[in-house]
Amino acid sequence: MYDIIVIGAGVTGTCTARELSKYQVNMCVIDKGDDVASGTSKANSGIVHGGYDCKPGTLMAEMNVRGNELLYKLAEDLDYPIKKNGSLIVCTVPEERGKLDVLLEQAKENGVPGCRIIDKEEALKMEPNLTDNTVAALYVPTGGIICPWGLAIAMGENAAMNGCEFKFEHAVENIIKKDDHYEVVTNKGTFETKIVVNAAGVYADTLHNMVSEDKKHIIARRGEYLLLDKELGDYFSATVFPLPGKMGKGILCAPTIHGNMFVGPSATDIEGKDDVETTQDILDDLAYKAQHSYLTRTKLPMNKIITSFAGLRAHLPEHEFIIEEAKDAPGFFDALGIESPGLTSSPAIAERIAGQIQDKYHFPEKDNFIAKRKDVIHMEDLTLEEKNALIKEKPEYGSIVCRCEMITEGEIMDAINRPLGARTMDGVKRRTRAGMGRCQAGFCTPRTMEILSRELGIPMTEITKKGEGSNLLVGKIKED
């Protein structure tokens, strides 16, 4: 029997697992996907929100501001990519100028440091590619950009280093409440645990409703994005938002932590909780807004779009986080309705859940907790001397596999042969960016598959894109 089972290996689940791995517990993370961050966490804006637009006094506001603080601190120990580039919320209509004052007052009430309203001249000096229609902007210096799956990988790896088990491709089918424990029934067996942490994203209401009479309903809100080439990655240095609307923060333009630029997201409430297809009408609308944006000085070239994608947000009608033990299900701890700013809030949510569990169960702390973790070696971050020394030690670091992103065989081998290492093509992509460039894996796929096959000791026909049912090859045309 486990002490704790965390259901969901997104940013909330992995952050919580890492926080709880500081204690002497027998713990497991279960996820229906093939890897960490294979659900809601893999497809979002990758923005570290300052906390200016959360309603004062809400848990969402508290978690946002605390999470922002923690993310920058934890990056020092866990070596995930993050950058404090600041956020600008831009007003382009003179009659709406007063909305910036409201946002500034909210930021102050929420404890967001350093926020101020800047005039058009200062805004254009800060971001020369802003539209000439800029009236004024709210500047939030603590805003940032981050790699969402990089965060989940870092947290998951560190939790694994501290003894946490991970079971992927285990879909939870039922949770049965017993006298002093729970049975978690999956498609691959049943597991017993004293405590359940429900961090299942858009499915968190389904799991909650299995054990509680206080029923919840999550609305899946789909956001679609356009990703542009790195040629446009420096168009803006800050994350540039319009004034927020009733469906969220609006369609924005921002650099990514890896040097691209994106436009999005849209916001559409949908029925299916696995429906992450992109829709032509919405992508056309995003492309039109990118070219005729009220945020940009010039039309963004559509021939620089390299891909599109969509992700889901777990929206509760009350638009508030629920982070607590279910009142009629002792030992069942919910993280419900974790939508934006959920990525930013994730380490604070983990801190809160772990605190609630500790207040009740008093697990002893570990004497040998491993607090630090190093990311996959990225050759682009090294000096010429460091590259030459590494290649001399391990020649695979001199063999380029992904020409768009300049990713080497050595980097891919590192991504596979590490705690919670890559087992699929998407797993390699998330850890190294092999396949994320202009050609979108058109050239590097066969070579990456060969490396996975060799390092995992499995035939090429067993290599998948993202787990069961996504095999890339079905057999050989002829025998060797």
Side-chain angles (χ1 to χ4, degrees), residues 434-459:
M436 284 192 176
R438 289 179 181 176
C439 84
Q440 289 291 287
F443 286 98
C444 62
T445 291
R447 185 72 185 109
T448 303
M449 290 179 66
E450 290 174 0
I451 298 168
L452 270 166
S453 174
R454 182 190 72 211
E455 295 300 309
L456 296 178
I458 59 177

Side-chain angles (χ1 to χ4, degrees), residues 426-443:
D426 280 0
V428 170
K429 182 190 291 187
R430 291 188 194 110
R431 288 161 177 79
T432 67
R433 290 190 59 78
M436 284 192 176
R438 289 179 181 176
C439 84
Q440 289 291 287
F443 286 98

Side-chain angles (χ1 to χ4, degrees), residues 315-376:
H315 176 69
L316 283 172
E318 53 264 52
H319 190 52
E320 172 66 308
F321 294 161
I322 298 175
I323 310 167
E324 63 188 18
E325 184 178 22
K327 293 177 176 59
D328 56 348
F332 191 94
F333 292 81
D334 279 315
L336 274 162
I338 310 302
E339 60 177 320
S340 181
L343 172 61
T344 308
S345 303
S346 55
I349 294 170
E351 186 180 65
R352 187 178 184 89
I353 291 176
Q356 291 171 350
I357 290 173
Q358 274 302 96
D359 287 345
K360 182 172 182 177
Y361 294 95
H362 308 292
F363 292 112
E365 293 186 14
K366 286 178 180 173
D367 295 327
N368 58 346
F369 174 70
I370 302 167
K372 295 183 181 291
R373 163 263 186 196
K374 290 296 293 180
D375 195 8
V376 172

Side-chain angles (χ1 to χ4, degrees), residues 8-12 14 29-44 148-150 152-153 166-170 199-203 273-274 276 310-312 424 426-427 430-431 465-467:
V11 289
T12 301
T14 53
V29 176
I30 292 176
D31 194 281
K32 70 174 184 176
D34 67 291
D35 197 1
V36 301
S38 60
T40 299
S41 297
K42 78 172 184 296
N44 64 48
W149 56 84
I153 289 166
F166 283 78
K167 295 185 184 297
F168 295 113
E169 298 183 283
H170 281 63
V202 292
Y203 283 96
K273 291 188 176 183
D274 292 308
V276 291
L312 300 178
T424 64
D426 280 0
R430 291 188 194 110
R431 288 161 177 79
K465 182 182 186 299
K466 55 179 181 180

Side-chain angles (χ1 to χ4, degrees), residues 163-224:
C164 180
E165 297 178 33
F166 283 78
K167 295 185 184 297
F168 295 113
E169 298 183 283
H170 281 63
V172 175
E173 297 174 343
N174 197 11
I175 302 175
I176 302 170
K177 184 165 49 173
K178 299 293 186 176
D179 289 339
D180 59 351
H181 69 281
Y182 291 89
E183 289 182 354
V184 179
V185 182
T186 78
N187 61 328
K188 294 186 177 179
T190 298
F191 305 92
E192 295 183 329
T193 181
K194 299 172 186 174
I195 300 166
V196 174
V197 175
N198 175 19
V202 292
Y203 283 96
D205 59 341
T206 303
L207 301 189
H208 169 90
N209 294 342
M210 290 175 179
V211 300
S212 175
E213 293 303 315
D214 179 19
K215 304 304 182 185
K216 303 297 181 184
H217 176 60
I218 284 174
I219 300 165
R221 180 166 288 175
R222 183 172 61 202
E224 300 180 39

